[in-house]
Amino acid sequence: MRRCYTVEDMRQWLADNNAYKFGKTKTVGFVPTMGYLHDGHMSLLEQSKQDNDLTVLSIFVNPLQFGPSEDFERYPRDEERDLRLAELCGVDAVFLPSVEVMYPHKPLTTVRVSAIADVLCGASRPGHFDGVATVVSKLLHIVSPDRAYFGMKDAQQVAVLTQMTADLNLDTAIVRCPTLREEDGLALSSRNVYLTPEERDQATVLYASLQTLQQSLKEQRLSVAQAEQLLAASLREAPLAIIEYAEVRTFPRFGQPSPHSCMQDIIQQGTTLLAALAVKFGTTRLIDNMVYAPDRE
Ligand code: PAF
């Protein structure tokens, strides 16, 4: 497994492997991460290995996507462990740029996706998706992969990046991969390590409330407003949970459906809906979601 620390190294390795830009003969799958790898990342790498000749992983904790009072400094990092896991998984190359390599000076050019990046996580974390879109666009220009893989736990990120690649004619397909969960339903996230044992116990409430909604939708007609109330009531069963949002939105445009419309009717008419949650336990912010797609059969 090749370790590349600079943009030139990365591109040279791709060129040496007939996997860089025009005339290349090998397909490249790319999994951008901020490291501290867990099984969710591993499943993205496995998918990439199945779909492509070569798989490139990047590990870069991107300062641009953290707000001033967020956890950039304390974000969990363990590069040696990540590299061991990547090697075991059969990754072909890892791109490990420093902040100086990615941002040799404060960029005057940033990428901003409007509308879908301004609601939910975008509203509570101003500038976050600009940071994500900017770094991913830089990474896609450096690696020029055929496919890039992202987990649906960050459904809004997936929507923002899909929109960005379409708007900017980037030649990379954004591949959505399912959320991986602990046995008790908690979505895998590098930030789960911040949770105290008590918070960790109660954090299962996110998935439990999404499941409660899913079950209720099978049993009764629910308006969007009723669904949101159900989610909030279910989250409140965990005394430590501080709800940031519990909303139903259209996917992937993140529009707000009319609160009085029946969820089942909206879905049946062909619109995909997303129930999205952001909940804080102490200083740890967790997100989760469930997609309700129309039955296309
Ligand atoms: O999902 C993440 O880990 C990050 O937002 C990403 C896509 C690697 C960009 O820094």
Side-chain angles (χ1 to χ4, degrees):
M1 184 178 75
R2 176 65 179 262
R3 300 175 187 194
C4 304
Y5 292 93
T6 65
V7 175
E8 296 70 30
D9 262 8
M10 185 70 252
R11 287 185 168 150
Q12 191 58 55
W13 181 86
L14 288 160
D16 292 346
N17 285 277
N18 297 318
Y20 191 58
K21 295 215 170 161
F22 304 108
K24 71 182 193 177
T25 55
K26 298 231 177 84
T27 58
V28 177
F30 179 44
V31 179
T33 76
M34 299 204 297
Y36 213 68
L37 302 181
H38 52 65
D39 285 351
H41 298 118
M42 292 301 150
S43 71
L44 304 181
L45 291 167
E46 288 299 341
Q47 189 60 52
S48 169
K49 279 179 25 182
Q50 268 184 40
D51 299 346
N52 302 284
D53 297 322
L54 296 171
T55 289
V56 176
L57 162 73
S58 71
I59 299 176
F60 177 62
V61 185
N62 171 36
L64 227 58
Q65 70 189 75
F66 290 79
S69 58
E70 292 187 354
D71 56 343
F72 173 68
E73 292 299 341
R74 73 176 184 123
Y75 193 84
R77 294 160 167 91
D78 191 344
E79 193 173 292
E80 280 316 309
R81 178 178 163 277
D82 287 348
L83 289 170
R84 273 199 308 277
L85 288 173
E87 182 122 46
L88 279 174
C89 179
V91 165
D92 298 289
V94 188
F95 182 44
L96 298 145
S98 63
V99 173
E100 291 69 34
V101 163
M102 287 304 279
Y103 304 114
H105 45 74
K106 190 175 183 305
L108 299 181
T109 308
T110 55
V111 180
R112 171 166 165 65
V113 178
S114 58
I116 50 176
D118 295 333
V119 298
L120 303 183
C121 290
S124 41
R125 304 182 67 190
H128 168 69
F129 286 119
D130 299 358
V132 171
T134 301
V135 79
V136 172
S137 138
K138 284 168 72 79
L139 290 167
L140 296 183
H141 280 103
I142 294 165
V143 178
S144 65
D146 297 86
R147 301 178 187 85
Y149 295 80
F150 298 89
M152 274 298 282
K153 179 178 76 69
D154 299 298
Q156 199 174 358
Q157 170 168 280
V158 171
V160 166
L161 295 176
T162 306
Q163 185 70 38
M164 175 189 83
T165 52
D167 289 347
L168 299 181
N169 297 93
L170 301 186
D171 207 8
T172 299
I174 301 294
V175 184
R176 299 177 188 171
C177 298
T179 303
L180 253 72
R181 301 181 179 281
E182 300 282 4
E183 258 178 36
D184 61 8
L186 178 66
L188 296 188
S189 161
S190 305
R191 289 191 168 97
N192 290 349
V193 291
Y194 296 153
L195 297 166
T196 65
E198 208 184 356
E199 290 167 349
R200 171 65 188 81
D201 273 357
Q202 294 190 24
T204 53
V205 76
L206 277 87
Y207 189 52
S209 65
L210 292 167
Q211 284 183 307
T212 304
L213 174 59
Q214 189 180 34
Q215 188 55 35
S216 304
L217 285 169
K218 285 185 189 147
E219 292 162 3
Q220 54 183 304
R221 288 167 62 79
L222 281 182
S223 70
V224 169
Q226 285 171 323
E228 289 177 345
Q229 281 155 17
L230 191 102
L231 286 170
S234 171
L235 288 171
R236 279 197 289 269
E237 282 173 25
L240 296 176
I242 305 158
I243 304 173
E244 196 175 276
Y245 62 73
E247 289 190 28
V248 175
R249 293 274 176 161
T250 63
F251 185 81
R253 298 312 293 250
F254 286 84
Q256 241 171 335
S258 153
H260 304 296
S261 308
C262 167
M263 268 188 79
Q264 286 95 336
D265 289 349
I266 302 175
I267 297 164
Q268 210 167 22
Q269 283 156 18
T271 300
T272 299
L273 292 178
L274 180 89
L277 309 175
V279 178
K280 271 189 152 178
F281 287 88
T283 54
T284 307
R285 184 175 178 280
L286 302 179
I287 56 172
D288 204 346
N289 65 72
M290 201 174 272
V291 175
Y292 303 94
D295 195 350
R296 305 234 181 243
E297 280 162 28

